[in-house]
Amino acid sequence: MLVPCQRPKLMNLKQSTMSIRTRLIAAATCAAFFAGCATTPQIARGPQYEPAANLMREARSSQVPVEQRAADYLQAAAITAPLLGAGAQETPARDTYNAACGELTVLLRNSEGGRLWNHPLTLTGNNTTYHLRLEPAGNAVWAPNYFATFELEQQVKEKLIKKENIQQGVGGALVGVRILNPPEKFAPPRGITAPVTATLDFHATDAMLALRRPAKQPTATVEGKVRSLAANFSAPISYYQPPANLLFVGLMGALRSAHYEKKTGLYFLQPYDPDRIPVVFVHGLISTPFDWVKTINGLLADPEIRKHYQFWVFAYPTGNPVLYSALRLREELAKVDKLYPNHKDYVLVGHSMGGLLSQAQVTSVTRTDWEKTLGAPAMQLFATLSPANLVAKATTFKANPRIKRVVFICTPHRGSKMASGGIGELGIKLISLPVDLETTIKSEIPEATLRKLNNGRLPNSVSNLKPTAPYLAVLNKESIQAPYHSIIGNRGKPGPLADSSDGVVPYWSSHLDGAKSECIVPGPHGSCELPQTIAELDRILRLHLKASSTSRATVAQAVR
């Protein structure tokens, strides 16, 4: 039974609907996700508490020895710490304390190869000697050596995010960057980031520097009182900056898949947390993980979502056949299961073609299913395949029992006629598959069978989006073995809902009868970042959180 979301009134949108051609030009890129631009360090220059102003000026001077600068920061923080108040109100004293905490942390961790980091320090300045230690790891405190470097929030340029998620409070708002050599599994080359709040507590001249986790616990006891922590939850996402040639690289990511094959994979946008539910975002045709930046930022505005969920993205070149890309996603999730066997169960969110990749994760398809649907061509195909063949692994699979919910956004479950038109045919011809993939498919599928299944052409992503694509007929006959929801775009043109479209995918293709909910959003095909879409995702994730809690309570009662 469908439970419709509250549907906003549809209106004629001034923006034109994205066509496939537009998406070829307007998408973000997989490779760009990892190639961020370096930023010039900046320092917060807000109102300063006058008695500490000279100390802050000297602490910020690169001409002063590091130890002296650190002592100046400590003394500035010590002067302002008694004046913090509740922390939520902006005052010169609080801003000076926050700046001193954050800049001291960056100075000690990043300067001179971290020579002074995570050691008890005795620092003397202006006739005052301080003894500084770092607080060890705790439930809501990062281990001192967990991050390789820190960035001030002002250092991170917000190129894709228009509205930052800022929490007012005490402490220096930082971006912690964890990067190891050799790299960790599932880590982007630029490292895994997280919001960090640096605070200083003083007992006379003894100082304790703590690296707090504001997403996990938004308050902390600082200087003897429970106070709100300062934090910037958008900066860690914005740390992954797009390159200047983003549009061109996005186009090439689809047309020349071989150039981006090595970057295919699952990437953690936050440090792995066994206590949080993983949400895996899967982008669509001619798109990249950058398509999810505004969506993820919108979800991070909700403290409950920040506390209970962690966000991952699957990056892949979008020219390859859909079932091959779905296989690569399946393999990545299996790697997570092996490395982190006790992780919480997944939620998948797929946009456009990414929804088809997601559907293949929660559906079981056997050789018999193919033969029942396609008859002789399928029999001929599987007669020559062994289970170890790539084509066999891509076309026969079991639903992943660890995926507990899926959200489809503008997903062409039954294809799009645009893929059969002139632009679609052009796209099919322009896409070049990786040589090794093309060779493998040709070696495993007899030419006569390929002619019957796909008119003799090797399949690619655009040909797979035709309503007549054979795998769509097979996939849609099998039940989706997890609760699922649909978010469907509607440009607002006059006419009944059944005849509506997001400009690329018509309602008859994106609608699923068995959806737990169906939300119509007033937008084009690229509607993942609409406020209505983000609000619906937030609702679904809160619903899932409640359902998960109920399920755990039921299991606990059964065990007792």
Side-chain angles (χ1 to χ4, degrees):
M1 178 178 177
L2 289 179
V3 182
C5 73
Q6 185 175 1
R7 297 179 180 175
K9 184 178 180 181
L10 299 179
M11 62 185 70
N12 293 324
L13 300 176
K14 293 183 180 179
Q15 61 192 99
S16 60
T17 304
M18 282 189 176
S19 64
I20 291 180
R21 183 177 179 183
T22 305
R23 292 191 63 75
L24 286 172
I25 297 173
T29 169
C30 297
F33 176 65
F34 314 110
C37 303
T39 55
T40 302
Q42 300 174 10
I43 294 175
R45 299 293 187 187
Q48 291 201 3
Y49 183 63
E50 189 58 34
N54 289 334
L55 290 167
M56 291 297 289
R57 277 193 291 272
E58 184 174 79
R60 287 166 170 166
S61 172
S62 60
Q63 306 303 313
V64 177
V66 172
E67 286 87 344
Q68 179 63 51
R69 295 173 65 189
D72 289 337
Y73 278 130
L74 280 171
Q75 190 164 10
I79 292 172
T80 52
L83 308 173
L84 287 176
Q89 185 176 357
E90 204 171 339
T91 65
R94 190 208 68 173
D95 290 348
T96 300
Y97 171 86
N98 290 357
C101 292
E103 292 171 33
L104 172 66
T105 303
V106 172
L107 176 71
L108 296 179
R109 188 68 181 98
N110 298 4
S111 296
E112 300 180 2
R115 175 176 62 86
L116 299 178
W117 184 251
N118 201 22
H119 302 293
L121 297 177
T122 299
L123 301 165
T124 301
N126 293 321
N127 299 319
T128 305
T129 298
Y130 292 96
H131 304 283
L132 175 67
R133 293 183 299 116
L134 269 74
E135 186 169 333
N139 178 54
V141 176
W142 295 106
N145 281 333
Y146 186 83
F147 296 105
T149 184
F150 293 101
E151 302 273 355
L152 296 171
E153 61 170 323
Q154 297 84 11
Q155 290 178 275
V156 180
K157 295 181 180 179
E158 308 281 358
K159 288 190 175 181
L160 298 176
I161 293 172
K162 302 300 182 184
K163 184 179 180 182
E164 292 180 298
N165 292 316
I166 302 292
Q167 178 174 289
Q168 294 293 332
V170 302
L174 303 170
V175 175
V177 182
R178 178 172 171 82
I179 184 166
L180 302 179
N181 188 16
E184 286 181 287
K185 296 286 187 183
F186 311 112
R190 291 200 69 200
I192 300 176
T193 62
V196 178
T197 305
T199 63
L200 282 164
D201 279 278
F202 293 90
H203 298 279
T205 56
D206 291 332
M208 180 74 76
L209 174 61
L211 305 175
R212 302 192 181 276
R213 306 176 65 170
K216 196 160 192 175
Q217 188 171 307
T219 62
T221 301
V222 180
E223 288 291 293
K225 293 183 180 179
V226 176
R227 310 176 199 266
S228 298
L229 293 173
N232 186 326
F233 298 107
S234 300
I237 300 298
S238 292
Y239 175 81
Y240 305 105
Q241 303 233 339
N245 60 343
L246 172 63
L247 301 181
F248 175 76
V249 179
L251 176 61
M252 291 298 101
L255 301 183
R256 298 294 180 266
S257 299
H259 296 292
Y260 306 100
E261 275 297 301
K262 291 182 179 179
K263 293 181 173 65
T264 298
L266 195 63
Y267 295 94
F268 294 178
L269 299 184
Q270 298 160 313
Y272 170 74
D273 188 340
D275 297 327
R276 296 186 188 185
I277 299 169
V279 181
V280 181
F281 292 91
V282 188
H283 62 78
L285 178 64
I286 323 301
S287 301
T288 72
F290 278 116
D291 276 30
W292 297 113
V293 168
K294 291 182 181 178
T295 307
I296 292 172
N297 184 64
L299 293 172
L300 287 172
D302 185 340
E304 282 299 298
I305 300 300
R306 291 198 301 261
K307 184 176 181 180
H308 294 288
Y309 287 96
Q310 55 191 320
F311 299 125
W312 306 347
V313 293
F314 179 63
Y316 66 104
T318 60
N320 291 337
V322 170
L323 291 184
Y324 174 73
S325 295
L327 170 63
R328 298 298 301 272
L329 173 56
R330 190 175 302 114
E331 292 171 341
E332 289 296 297
L333 294 176
K335 291 177 185 177
V336 174
D337 295 342
K338 186 175 181 179
L339 186 62
Y340 301 112
N342 296 322
H343 71 79
K344 290 188 177 294
D345 293 328
Y346 306 105
V347 173
L348 262 58
V349 179
H351 172 247
S352 190
M353 191 174 74
L356 295 175
L357 270 64
S358 302
Q359 185 177 351
Q361 309 306 310
V362 288
T363 307
S364 295
V365 174
T366 66
R367 170 179 175 171
T368 302
D369 296 325
W370 283 90
E371 292 175 347
K372 284 181 179 178
T373 303
L374 302 180
M379 293 179 186
Q380 293 171 6
L381 170 65
F382 286 100
T384 60
L385 292 178
S386 72
N389 287 147
L390 177 67
V391 173
K393 289 190 290 186
T395 55
T396 57
F397 41 84
K398 292 182 179 179
N400 187 336
R402 303 207 64 176
I403 299 172
K404 298 302 184 183
R405 195 173 300 269
V406 183
V407 182
F408 300 114
I409 304 177
C410 301
T411 297
H413 297 286
R414 300 169 190 85
S416 171
K417 291 180 179 178
M418 293 189 73
S420 301
I423 294 176
E425 287 298 325
L426 177 62
I428 291 170
K429 293 177 182 178
L430 289 177
I431 290 175
S432 176
L433 298 181
V435 174
D436 57 345
L437 178 60
E438 184 174 330
T439 301
T440 300
I441 294 175
K442 285 182 177 178
S443 69
E444 294 181 1
I445 301 179
E447 187 176 345
T449 305
L450 190 59
R451 280 198 301 270
K452 292 180 181 179
L453 289 173
N454 203 43
N455 297 320
R457 286 177 171 175
L458 290 177
N460 61 40
S461 58
V462 177
S463 68
N464 280 170
L465 295 177
K466 291 183 176 183
T468 56
Y471 84 98
L472 287 177
V474 177
L475 194 64
N476 286 316
K477 282 190 177 181
E478 308 308 316
S479 60
I480 297 174
Q481 297 176 32
Y484 56 95
H485 306 257
S486 296
I487 299 177
I488 298 172
N490 187 336
R491 292 175 299 170
K493 290 189 174 182
L497 178 63
D499 297 332
S500 67
S501 171
D502 63 20
V504 174
V505 180
Y507 179 81
W508 57 260
S509 181
S510 54
H511 168 77
L512 291 174
D513 286 337
K516 295 295 182 182
S517 65
E518 180 179 278
C519 185
I520 309 299
V521 296
H525 187 60
S527 290
C528 6
E529 62 189 39
L530 288 180
Q532 295 92 334
T533 300
I534 295 170
E536 176 65 359
L537 283 173
D538 188 283
R539 183 193 71 81
I540 292 170
L541 292 179
R542 279 178 166 265
L543 172 70
H544 182 74
L545 190 61
K546 184 177 180 181
S548 299
S549 300
T550 302
S551 176
R552 287 195 297 271
T554 302
V555 171
Q557 290 175 358
V559 171
R560 288 197 296 269

